[in-house]
Amino acid sequence: MSAPDSLFVKACRLQPVERTPVWFMRQAGRYMPEYRAVRKQYSLIEICKHPQIAAEVTITAAEALGVDAAIIFADLLLPLEVMGLPFHFSPGEGPVIEKPLRTAADISALRTDRAADLGYVAEAVALVCKQFGAKLPVIGFCGAPFTLASYMIEGGGSRNYIHAKKMMYSSPRAWDELLGKLVAVAGEYAAQQVRAGADVIQVFDSWVGCLSVNDYRRYVLPRTKELIKQLQKTGAPVVYFGTDSATLLPAMSETGAEVIGLDWRIPLDEGWRSVGKKTGVQGNLDPVLLFADWKEIQPQAEEILRRAAGRPGHIFNLGHGILPETPVENVKALADFVKQYSFETASR
Ligand code: CP3
């Protein structure tokens, strides 16, 4: 842990802070010219596997935006490779898993003993921590069991999650074995990042919103809770994020995560009521709003801060990651606005 007294870490622990901390999911990405320049020389996976370069990309983005936390540059799917499922990124198509899991035997064959081979991510975390010291906290991350399982079974992104849900409904034991293996690997992988200095872990359950509340509780919540409890043993607070999650929020907060990440579909105060007042919230401006003029963005950012009402435990973010082609000046203006406006309203 390198910046335990930072605004962001304090807010994750629901402690009062003098202004609202702000960072953005995918703050290092293709919308940023500095990132595109690095990508001309290296593929996404090459960046991830070279700690120097991954650290540089992480640091450059956090400094360019003036945000209150740096999220380590990596990808959600890296653990698949060490479990025995190679994948690549195909332009325009996104991630492609070469041999998706389709049977119980495929799941039994997955390995859980090679999380140490992901050490390059922890090395990058250590470099970023060294650069920022106590000045800026570093966020490590991993995928949640459901979202990782959905990629492994579907073979890539999906619209209806037919293969994943079919496995969940028709082979519940194999499904649970898979989620258990993912908890083991993701838990160890995230713990490596904390040992290297990460202050907070964010667990991405990006696609969990495709589930009914009942199915979430039955097939996903127990293993997700297990992962989050395991991560908390490292001493780092956990942010648990999903999209399309309005109906799932009460169940998601039962995982015990310190903070729940909200998407933009729910008003922030309503989302906060759903997760309960003992849990913090992160969010939740629509990332597509950043394509509009500043005069449209500002009142909506202000509205989110008004709904948070300065209560301890709000971290400003988008409701999902920054999209390619987003105007950089709007992202910078948003970070500046949140810092200034929340400071002025807090000190009034
Ligand atoms: O937030 C950050 O700045 C840290 C970097 C980060 C990346 N991926 C780098 C990346 C993080 C936090 C992720 C997580 C991730 N990866 C998620 C969960 C977050 C979410 O958005 O819900 C998911 C679902 C993935 C899997 C993945 N990786 C997808 C679906 C894609 C998009 C493919 C495409 O072509 O658009 C990626 C690629 C990826 N990961 C990019 C970045 C910056 C863009 C691709 C590139 O640089 O070529």
Side-chain angles (χ1 to χ4, degrees), residues 96-251:
V96 178
I97 286 88
E98 279 146 34
K99 288 193 202 104
L101 304 174
R102 289 297 152 80
T103 66
D106 294 342
I107 290 170
S108 299
L110 290 173
R111 294 182 59 169
T112 57
D113 57 340
R114 290 195 296 187
D117 294 354
L118 296 165
Y120 53 85
V121 175
E123 277 177 52
V125 168
L127 292 171
V128 178
C129 292
K130 194 169 155 209
Q131 166 77 19
F132 286 133
K135 260 193 357 218
L136 208 67
V138 177
I139 305 170
F141 73 88
C142 65
F146 176 80
T147 291
L148 289 174
S150 79
Y151 277 107
M152 294 169 108
I153 299 170
E154 296 292 335
S158 175
R159 198 177 171 80
N160 293 313
Y161 301 93
I162 292 172
H163 295 290
K165 288 188 181 181
K166 187 176 162 200
M167 174 87 76
M168 183 175 92
Y169 294 128
S170 56
S171 310
R173 296 183 75 144
W175 170 261
D176 190 62
E177 183 188 350
L178 172 58
L179 267 58
K181 287 186 161 188
L182 287 167
V183 170
V185 175
E188 171 50 28
Y189 169 54
Q192 288 164 12
Q193 297 176 52
V194 176
R195 288 196 293 271
D199 294 276
V200 170
I201 292 292
Q202 175 151 325
V203 176
F204 283 95
D205 214 349
S206 308
W207 314 132
V208 72
C210 71
L211 295 170
S212 70
V213 179
N214 281 344
D215 286 348
Y216 177 77
R217 286 188 174 281
R218 179 164 168 192
Y219 297 106
V220 175
L221 174 59
R223 291 296 189 180
T224 309
K225 200 186 234 172
E226 187 184 324
L227 173 65
I228 288 172
K229 296 280 174 254
Q230 195 172 316
L231 298 179
Q232 288 168 332
K233 284 193 195 141
T234 64
V238 173
V239 180
Y240 177 38
F241 167 79
T243 69
D244 258 323
S245 57
T247 57
L248 298 177
L249 291 172

Side-chain angles (χ1 to χ4, degrees), residues 18-20 338-348:
E18 63 265 25
R19 63 165 178 80
T20 307
V338 171
K339 292 194 284 185
Q340 198 190 334
Y341 181 89
S342 65
F343 182 71
E344 283 168 5
T345 48
S347 48
R348 239 183 253 151

Side-chain angles (χ1 to χ4, degrees), residues 286-297:
D286 184 345
V288 178
L289 183 62
L290 291 174
F291 288 83
D293 294 335
W294 178 248
K295 67 178 198 308
E296 310 295 327
I297 302 169

Side-chain angles (χ1 to χ4, degrees), residues 24 31 65 290 322 326-336:
F24 303 113
Y31 77 104
L65 299 174
L290 291 174
I322 299 177
T326 299
V328 181
E329 64 276 15
N330 285 349
V331 184
K332 287 186 182 156
L334 179 59
D336 289 343

